[in-house]
Amino acid sequence: MSSPADAAPAGAVRQGSLREINLALLLGRIAAAPRPPSRAELATDTGLTRATVSAVVDDLIGGGLVTEVDPTPRTGAGRPARGLLLASRGPAGLGLEINVDYLAVCVLDLAGEVRHRTVHRADLRPASPAETVALAAELAQRARADAAAQGLTLAGAALAVPGLVAADGVVRLAPNLGWREVDVPVLLAAHPPLTDSVPGLPALVVDNEANLAALGELHAGEPGATDFLYVSGEVGIGAGIVLDGTLYRGARGFSGEIGHLPVHPEGHPCRCGGRGCLETYAGQEAILAAAGLAGTDVAGDAARLARLAAGGDPATLAALGGAGTALGVAVAGVVNLLDLDTVVLGGTYAPLARWLSPAVTAEISRRVLTAAWHPVTVRPTVLGADAAAIGAAGSVVRRVIARPAAWLAGAADPGTRQGLSSAAAGGLYSAPDRRG
Amino acid sequence: MSSPADAAPAGAVRQGSLREINLALLLGRIAAAPRPPSRAELATDTGLTRATVSAVVDDLIGGGLVTEVDPTPRTGAGRPARGLLLASRGPAGLGLEINVDYLAVCVLDLAGEVRHRTVHRADLRPASPAETVALAAELAQRARADAAAQGLTLAGAALAVPGLVAADGVVRLAPNLGWREVDVPVLLAAHPPLTDSVPGLPALVVDNEANLAALGELHAGEPGATDFLYVSGEVGIGAGIVLDGTLYRGARGFSGEIGHLPVHPEGHPCRCGGRGCLETYAGQEAILAAAGLAGTDVAGDAARLARLAAGGDPATLAALGGAGTALGVAVAGVVNLLDLDTVVLGGTYAPLARWLSPAVTAEISRRVLTAAWHPVTVRPTVLGADAAAIGAAGSVVRRVIARPAAWLAGAADPGTRQGLSSAAAGGLYSAPDRRG
């Protein structure tokens, strides 16, 4: 959608743009600084005058985006300056994930701290899309109330689903959930608003879960990784591809379907219609079946597998070894193709990484041409099993930091805020940014 | 390497930069125009004054980059203006390809016309790297003489090899040629210079053949394709990945090793050390073996296979069908992963595309999740079997067009030009541009 400035007359846009640029510039510096910078340091860093910095910082403080803290005492001459840091009250992001065997909800504040986190385990395949969305909306309401009690206002929401999401928020296909052409924004519009939506900021984004988890890993995971494959193992297997520090979405936004890389081309039939897809060898159900646990309740099974493996259960260890080999075959192909230096194991693969990684690494060593010169790191995500919800909430927070003027306009005139129900109906739904 | 301006004092850089920017801007417009633009049209298009346009255009004409042509008569009032187009004499690019069973050399002029083209067929596996490079250097000398006879000066060279090329031009590994750690710039330095190298323009770039062929397809192939997989079938199988109109090179420049995507993980052993790689099912030798032609001279075998297939030979048709299926399994995986809308068949796959494409398309339809909504186009390259050499020469020409000031400085003072032998010894070797 357009920012409010787009609709203003040309002269006003220029004046407004300059203020918007300075607000975003200084808020971005404050967000990225390793310790709270002073106004004087910001002026030196940016080349803006001290008067401009002070005026802009006052706006950021007035709007609840930044707080000023007393300095820690230090040695040396001169009165130490007060430092600026992101507000721990004020705007926050709501992240939601609907997956096959759980719903996750979290709230992140501007500084990226997790302020609320719920994971609700249930096999959601028997539920209709409307029932599942209703459950997500209910959990979101509790998160919103908890956020409000902490002085936080939800500035937007992002929802992760394990499937192909079109630019209008319609889930084209989520085969493991049994969803096809599910219009999530319309379903959500039947419920009370999830957030205090702000004109100029998207009220709701729907995106693929592996994409959002990869964004979470990029921004909140181990620092320094800019080219990696994030593999999200659930009942299905998705991937987020980060190239040059940017999430690669593909020609039409449908990249990352690693679960349907064929590892045994005439092997097991797959729900997608193909045969021998990775998912049928290394998806959660395949692992459970190989471990002799088929048919048990799928929710919570990663923890059960981890307990059995830690206890040395031979069938579980063999199942995880086989899944790791299949995953390694597919991942080695991806690394040969894309020349990535890091593979991050996420979703249920994170708690199982200890038993999956050796086989994955073995297949990479065996099959990747450049592995002899450039070892490939295989490691679990540091974000845990609900990485996609955290990545989703983080994407909301990064948008507030990138466009503080939109938040400030809403803060000055709360009457302009709209609830999500009217927002969705009125077209406030936004597609994910093309570049990350 | 640095451009000459980088070494000049700061004040001079600014003045020089402005001229460089205008030279590049106007030459770029002339190169991209659908018909020869007039000076007046260039002024309107760019917002530069007519005086500036005329001064810059005079420089471009004086340096042999642009020529002025009489207009075709047209109806309407006023004296028709003279049009500007890229010179058909002057700087040109030398493209070379060393592959397993042929050497290709070509010269492209500024307008992208092929002015010289040689394909020398021979099985190069028994030859040492030094012998093969010597043969390439000899063919390049003939091309240079032919170019000179046409009034063309070679402004640089690019060499395509079927392997992993490090940033310093060393071929780390070209398994099907049997090359490992071959320092191509050093080997070439033992021969007379290939080109009139120009300070500020790279004398030599060494790059992966599929990457250069993909760049050729992007710039000289069918217009409009911006997200595609270029698959180059030779004895090995390489791929060039174009995303958003840019060649994707990977974290360390080694992307595109599609030949080692496993299609039957415990299948045929591969030269790379893995098993069941695509190459062992759809590489040229695998096709020949399946067609009952194993052990025949590999050079020229694509033409033989095409003749046999056109004549209905059942063994050849079965071999091509099997190779197409294996290729389709791998390509479907790549499309699922990267969400590309076009697959271009190059190398020996181009003349065989008629028999390979049906199986490739069938596997895509069967395995790609989004194929039902977004059909994937599978087509042969329009550039023919020496697409990599054409892409290589085109990359040289595009650099001249992007940096005309470097060429003009050399044209004004031919004494500053260096031959490749001294250039390579003196560090004039350049890595491929990171972004295409």
Side-chain angles (χ1 to χ4, degrees):
Chain A
M1 60 169 293
S2 316
S3 77
D6 293 346
V13 170
R14 298 212 158 194
Q15 193 61 30
S17 294
L18 188 60
R19 177 172 173 271
E20 281 172 23
I21 289 165
N22 287 338
L23 285 165
L25 174 68
L26 291 177
L27 188 60
R29 294 295 174 109
I30 293 166
R35 54 171 192 77
S38 67
R39 293 172 190 231
E41 284 166 342
L42 287 174
T44 307
D45 279 0
T46 59
L48 295 173
T49 65
R50 289 210 184 194
T52 301
V53 168
S54 270
V56 172
V57 165
D58 286 344
D59 279 358
L60 292 171
I61 293 172
L65 294 167
V66 164
T67 52
E68 207 153 22
V69 287
D70 284 326
T72 48
R74 55 170 187 183
T75 57
R79 185 168 59 92
R82 304 189 77 196
L84 299 160
L85 80 176
L86 294 171
S88 60
R89 300 168 69 88
L94 176 67
L96 301 156
E97 180 184 4
I98 292 174
N99 217 313
V100 176
D101 54 343
Y102 65 91
L103 284 168
V105 179
C106 73
V107 174
L108 258 64
D109 66 20
L110 274 190
E113 292 297 317
V114 178
R115 303 290 289 272
H116 174 94
R117 192 170 196 167
T118 311
V119 178
H120 176 91
R121 302 214 164 268
D123 187 345
L124 294 166
R125 288 172 293 189
S128 72
E131 287 165 347
T132 300
V133 167
L135 185 53
E138 189 190 320
L139 294 172
Q141 284 310 327
R142 285 189 228 159
R144 191 182 181 192
D146 185 17
Q150 299 180 65
L152 295 167
T153 305
L154 301 182
L159 169 65
V161 292
L164 304 171
V165 185
D168 57 2
V170 173
V171 178
R172 287 252 175 282
L173 180 66
N176 294 306
L177 270 174
W179 287 19
R180 189 177 279 276
E181 303 295 337
V182 173
D183 192 330
V184 175
V186 162
L187 289 178
L188 273 173
H191 299 275
L194 304 186
T195 68
D196 291 281
S197 79
V198 179
L201 291 173
L204 175 67
V205 168
V206 183
D207 202 346
N208 174 271
E209 64 93 14
N211 280 349
L212 286 169
L215 283 175
E217 185 68 29
L218 177 65
H219 295 289
E222 264 181 48
T226 57
D227 292 77
F228 63 85
L229 178 73
Y230 183 101
V231 190
S232 180
E234 304 288 353
V235 170
I237 306 170
I241 302 165
V242 173
L243 308 175
D244 274 344
T246 302
L247 182 69
Y248 174 70
R249 293 183 175 277
R252 290 138 328 189
F254 297 143
S255 71
E257 290 300 326
I258 196 175
H260 302 283
L261 246 66
V263 293
H264 293 284
E266 297 309 323
H268 305 156
C270 181
R271 218 166 271 148
C272 76
R275 293 191 84 92
C277 298
L278 173 62
E279 219 160 271
T280 65
Y281 294 88
Q284 199 172 331
E285 288 185 316
I287 299 176
L288 289 170
L293 300 168
T296 60
D297 181 15
V298 75
D301 274 328
R304 190 183 318 161
L305 285 168
R307 277 196 306 275
L308 286 165
D313 179 61
T316 301
L317 291 172
L320 291 173
T325 297
L327 183 59
V329 166
V331 163
V334 175
V335 173
N336 264 324
L337 190 75
L338 295 180
D339 181 28
L340 303 166
D341 51 22
T342 303
V343 176
V344 181
L345 300 180
T348 57
Y349 289 162
L352 300 173
R354 192 176 134 197
W355 299 282
L356 294 169
S357 294
V360 173
T361 302
E363 292 300 317
I364 289 174
S365 303
R366 183 183 178 199
R367 298 177 186 277
V368 172
L369 291 188
T370 58
W373 310 289
H374 299 288
V376 176
T377 302
V378 179
R379 61 168 172 81
T381 174
V382 296
L383 295 180
D386 53 348
I390 290 173
S395 71
V396 174
V397 163
R398 282 196 308 284
R399 270 191 295 270
V400 175
I401 292 173
R403 300 181 219 160
W407 169 260
L408 296 180
D413 178 12
T416 65
R417 291 204 192 134
Q418 294 173 268
L420 179 62
S421 52
S422 55
L428 269 192
Y429 175 80
S430 296
D433 293 339
R434 166 97 182 173
R435 300 197 69 80
Chain B
M1 62 170 293
S2 317
S3 77
D6 292 347
V13 171
R14 298 214 158 194
Q15 193 60 30
S17 294
L18 187 61
R19 177 172 173 271
E20 281 172 25
I21 289 165
N22 287 337
L23 284 165
L25 175 67
L26 291 177
L27 189 60
R29 294 295 172 110
I30 292 167
R35 53 170 195 76
S38 67
R39 293 171 190 235
E41 284 166 343
L42 287 174
T44 307
D45 278 1
T46 59
L48 296 173
T49 65
R50 288 210 183 193
T52 300
V53 168
S54 270
V56 173
V57 164
D58 286 344
D59 280 357
L60 292 171
I61 293 173
L65 294 167
V66 163
T67 51
E68 206 151 24
V69 289
D70 284 326
T72 48
R74 56 168 188 183
T75 57
R79 184 167 60 89
R82 303 189 79 198
L84 298 161
L85 80 177
L86 294 171
S88 60
R89 300 167 69 87
L94 176 67
L96 301 157
E97 181 184 2
I98 292 174
N99 217 313
V100 177
D101 54 342
Y102 65 92
L103 284 169
V105 178
C106 73
V107 173
L108 259 63
D109 66 19
L110 274 190
E113 293 296 317
V114 178
R115 303 289 290 272
H116 174 93
R117 191 170 197 169
T118 310
V119 178
H120 176 91
R121 299 213 166 269
D123 187 345
L124 294 167
R125 288 172 293 187
S128 72
E131 287 165 347
T132 299
V133 167
L135 186 52
E138 188 191 320
L139 294 173
Q141 284 309 327
R142 286 188 227 158
R144 191 183 180 190
D146 185 18
Q150 299 180 65
L152 294 167
T153 304
L154 301 182
L159 168 65
V161 291
L164 304 171
V165 185
D168 57 2
V170 173
V171 178
R172 285 251 175 283
L173 181 66
N176 293 306
L177 269 174
W179 286 20
R180 190 178 279 275
E181 302 296 337
V182 174
D183 192 330
V184 176
V186 161
L187 289 179
L188 273 172
H191 298 275
L194 304 186
T195 67
D196 292 280
S197 81
V198 179
L201 291 173
L204 174 67
V205 169
V206 184
D207 202 347
N208 174 272
E209 63 93 14
N211 280 350
L212 286 168
L215 283 175
E217 184 69 29
L218 177 65
H219 294 290
E222 263 180 50
T226 57
D227 292 77
F228 62 86
L229 179 73
Y230 183 100
V231 190
S232 180
E234 306 288 352
V235 170
I237 306 170
I241 302 165
V242 173
L243 309 175
D244 274 344
T246 302
L247 182 68
Y248 174 70
R249 293 182 176 277
R252 290 139 326 190
F254 297 144
S255 71
E257 291 299 325
I258 194 175
H260 302 282
L261 247 67
V263 294
H264 293 285
E266 296 309 324
H268 305 156
C270 180
R271 217 165 274 150
C272 76
R275 292 191 83 93
C277 298
L278 174 62
E279 221 160 88
T280 65
Y281 294 89
Q284 200 173 329
E285 288 186 315
I287 299 176
L288 288 170
L293 299 168
T296 60
D297 181 17
V298 74
D301 273 330
R304 189 184 318 162
L305 285 168
R307 278 196 305 275
L308 286 166
D313 177 63
T316 302
L317 292 173
L320 291 173
T325 296
L327 184 58
V329 165
V331 163
V334 176
V335 172
N336 264 325
L337 190 75
L338 295 179
D339 182 27
L340 303 166
D341 51 22
T342 302
V343 176
V344 180
L345 300 180
T348 58
Y349 289 161
L352 299 172
R354 191 175 135 198
W355 299 282
L356 294 169
S357 294
V360 174
T361 303
E363 291 300 317
I364 289 174
S365 303
R366 185 183 175 198
R367 298 179 186 276
V368 172
L369 291 188
T370 58
W373 310 289
H374 298 288
V376 176
T377 301
V378 179
R379 61 169 171 81
T381 173
V382 296
L383 295 181
D386 53 347
I390 291 175
S395 71
V396 174
V397 162
R398 282 197 307 284
R399 270 192 293 269
V400 175
I401 292 173
R403 298 182 220 159
W407 170 260
L408 296 180
D413 177 12
T416 64
R417 290 202 193 135
Q418 294 172 267
L420 180 62
S421 51
S422 56
L428 269 191
Y429 175 80
S430 296
D433 294 338
R434 167 96 182 172
R435 300 196 69 80

